[in-house]
Amino acid sequence: MNFNEIDNHIIPMKAFKLNWRFTERKYDLLPEKHLNELKPLDNEASEFLDKYISKVELHNQFPFKRGFFKNIDKAEILEENEKEIRKWLYRRALPFDKTVLLSWDGDTSMKTKWKFVLKYWDSVFYVGSDDLTVFDESLEWALLFFHENEIYWGTNKKYK
């Protein structure tokens, strides 16, 4: 498998094991047009992304392999600071229509646009239970949502 084949591994939202985060009023009920922009991936694609992250040793040291990125920034998730986190993510300066990959583990992944990570970051990531890597295939940048209330941004681009 390769990145060009990922679109062949999109599954329906109802088959996605984390669908409840986006489809149940109790958690977050997304509008249908936004739900359609979230592209859950099957086990084969999820395993491919997980192995890719391992192969490049992205998280060999915490949060990223030493020397992998020139710049690393961190945000702490506190109670009631959702807006501040959204602003912090916005300042990563990625285009809203940038295609990104979300990898929770070898069984769970998704493809979407950056704007949906910005808007629904607190639905894609649950503090205390998730470790989530968000990246694109260039790996010029990556985000690690770490289960202990932290988000790490690594990039090789010039960054303020």
Side-chain angles (χ1 to χ4, degrees):
M1 177 166 196
N2 61 48
F3 285 104
N4 295 329
E5 298 171 349
I6 284 188
D7 284 344
N8 299 330
H9 294 270
I10 294 170
I11 59 173
M13 181 59 78
K14 66 183 176 189
F16 185 56
K17 75 179 186 181
L18 299 179
N19 70 21
W20 52 271
R21 293 183 178 189
F22 313 104
T23 62
E24 293 184 23
R25 187 174 314 280
K26 181 177 170 183
Y27 302 100
D28 200 356
L29 185 58
L30 274 58
E32 194 70 30
K33 67 180 184 179
H34 292 183
L35 267 179
N36 292 335
E37 296 295 327
L38 303 177
K39 309 292 185 191
L41 300 173
D42 66 13
N43 287 350
E44 186 179 348
S46 297
E47 186 176 334
F48 165 75
L49 294 177
D50 191 58
K51 285 182 178 179
Y52 178 75
I53 290 167
S54 293
K55 182 179 176 184
V56 299
E57 301 178 338
L58 181 62
H59 300 302
N60 255 23
Q61 284 97 22
F62 182 80
F64 304 111
K65 180 171 89 173
R66 196 168 295 113
F68 200 93
F69 293 121
K70 294 176 186 171
N71 303 298
I72 296 177
D73 195 9
K74 174 185 171 185
E76 189 174 356
I77 301 169
L78 305 170
E79 222 170 289
E80 306 299 323
N81 79 336
E82 292 89 359
K83 288 180 183 177
E84 290 83 3
I85 295 297
R86 194 164 284 111
K87 287 177 188 176
W88 184 86
L89 290 168
Y90 176 80
R91 289 192 304 266
R92 305 308 99 189
L94 295 172
F96 290 150
D97 64 347
K98 175 79 174 152
T99 298
V100 297
L101 300 162
L102 289 69
S103 177
W104 286 268
D105 57 42
D107 297 323
T108 316
S109 67
M110 179 182 289
K111 176 182 172 182
T112 192
K113 300 290 184 191
W114 175 244
K115 66 182 169 185
F116 295 103
V117 174
L118 277 172
K119 185 165 183 67
Y120 299 113
W121 74 267
D122 52 351
S123 293
V124 298
F125 173 70
Y126 275 35
V127 170
S129 65
D130 291 343
D131 286 327
L132 169 64
T133 302
V134 180
F135 64 105
D136 70 1
E137 62 185 276
S138 75
L139 266 184
E140 290 182 357
W141 63 269
L143 272 172
L144 173 62
F145 287 83
F146 185 57
H147 67 271
E148 292 186 6
N149 301 16
E150 299 166 335
I151 310 172
Y152 293 90
W153 163 257
T155 185
N156 285 317
K157 295 182 178 185
K158 291 186 178 182
Y159 173 72
K160 294 181 183 179

